[in-house]
Amino acid sequence: MIALAGVPLVTVILGALSREGVDAAGRIIANPAFGTMLRNTIIWVAISLVGAMVVGYLAAVALNTKGVRLQGMWRAMLLIPWITPTVAAATAWKWVFGRDFGTLNGILLSVGLIDEPISWLTDPVLVLPALALVQVWCTFPFVMLMVGSGLQSISDETREAASLDGASAIQTFRYIVLPALRDVTFILLLIVTVWALNSFVPVWVITRGGPAGSSTILSIELYNQFLNGNASSVSVFALLQLVVSMSIAALYVRQTRKD
């Protein structure tokens, strides 16, 4: 197992630190497209992270609210995005975002919110948020499950005591629920960030980084360099992704040990 994990890591590190790798790193940094790719990656991760956390939290709170019927059925339905193969999900969303025959434009036109179809996947401004929505759809169920488990660990007696003390629903959520979910939230932030950083399939299936690099993120650029046969550039981008991922993993290990 150590060899299986170590050999690729050593290969990437040696390739990136070799003379060819250093020269490739200089060319990559000097290329304006590198800055665009980094910006796209940061926007992609930020939208994916915030969206998955917000939607996952809202879904978990809604499912754990007293009086909600058929909780098991709703929970099973909300898990569909997580268990759907990513390629299938990305293909379906590509149809949804289609300009002329897409489902989204059809709905917006029918209710009168727009006057003409929107080019979700060819507009340089809209394409990255649209793709991040797919990532949110695929990952929020995991957040929902984790947060839901944390909510169930809060006893009814604690909630009732807060209510008797005059705490509102917002105050109960802020001073009781959020502190109880602090560790879960921190771990979720790390996991969802790594998932977004390493995500490849949604972007590749839907746009392949287009139009004109507007949706090219780190994982897409790494694969493009591989397709072009630039071994030294592949090592540089792989090392960059490895360093970021390992830094997040170190935070995760530190937090789990603390618990």
Side-chain angles (χ1 to χ4, degrees):
M1 292 296 294
I2 296 177
L4 289 175
V7 171
L9 295 179
V10 172
T11 301
V12 166
I13 294 173
L14 292 179
L17 298 181
S18 65
R19 182 174 180 179
E20 293 80 5
V22 173
D23 292 340
R27 293 192 301 269
I28 290 171
I29 295 174
N31 191 338
F34 177 70
T36 302
M37 183 274 296
L38 286 181
R39 183 197 65 191
N40 290 344
T41 303
I42 293 173
I43 294 174
W44 162 266
V45 172
I47 297 177
S48 300
L49 175 63
V50 173
M53 295 297 295
V54 171
V55 176
Y57 250 91
L58 291 176
V61 172
L63 288 176
N64 284 272
T65 301
K66 287 185 176 181
V68 176
R69 297 183 177 181
L70 303 175
Q71 291 186 5
M73 183 193 72
W74 293 117
R75 186 176 290 106
M77 291 181 63
L78 291 174
L79 282 176
I80 292 176
W82 194 34
I83 63 178
T84 301
T86 311
V87 173
T91 302
W93 277 99
K94 187 174 183 178
W95 293 339
V96 170
F97 285 126
R99 183 185 187 280
D100 297 322
F101 305 103
T103 307
L104 181 57
N105 277 336
I107 294 174
L108 295 178
L109 286 170
S110 64
V111 298
L113 291 179
I114 59 175
D115 297 324
E116 59 182 20
I118 298 176
S119 302
W120 299 101
L121 301 180
T122 56
D123 188 318
V125 176
L126 297 177
V127 62
L128 203 56
L131 293 174
L133 177 61
V134 180
Q135 179 71 7
V136 170
W137 186 82
C138 293
T139 55
F140 89 86
F142 178 76
V143 177
M144 178 190 71
L145 284 179
M146 295 291 288
V147 173
S149 299
L151 289 174
Q152 292 177 5
S153 67
I154 304 175
S155 65
D156 293 337
E157 290 77 10
T158 302
R159 297 175 185 268
E160 292 174 359
S163 178
L164 292 175
D165 289 339
S168 64
I170 296 178
Q171 290 174 326
T172 300
F173 183 79
R174 178 179 179 182
Y175 295 108
I176 295 178
V177 175
L178 285 182
L181 298 177
R182 181 183 58 187
D183 293 338
V184 172
T185 300
F186 181 75
I187 292 175
L188 281 173
L189 288 172
L190 298 180
I191 293 176
V192 176
T193 298
V194 171
W195 282 355
L197 183 66
N198 294 335
S199 181
F200 170 81
V201 173
V203 179
W204 184 256
V205 170
I206 298 176
T207 65
R208 299 200 172 189
S214 297
S215 62
T216 297
I217 57 177
L218 180 56
S219 59
I220 298 296
E221 182 60 28
L222 193 158
Y223 188 64
N224 283 332
Q225 295 297 327
F226 170 77
L227 292 179
N228 294 331
N230 299 327
S232 56
S233 296
V234 169
S235 297
V236 172
F237 281 112
L239 181 61
L240 175 60
Q241 190 164 8
L242 177 64
V243 169
V244 176
S245 298
M246 291 300 291
S247 299
I248 298 174
L251 292 175
Y252 174 82
V253 171
R254 180 180 179 183
Q255 181 65 24
T256 53
R257 286 182 176 179
K258 184 186 298 184
D259 296 339

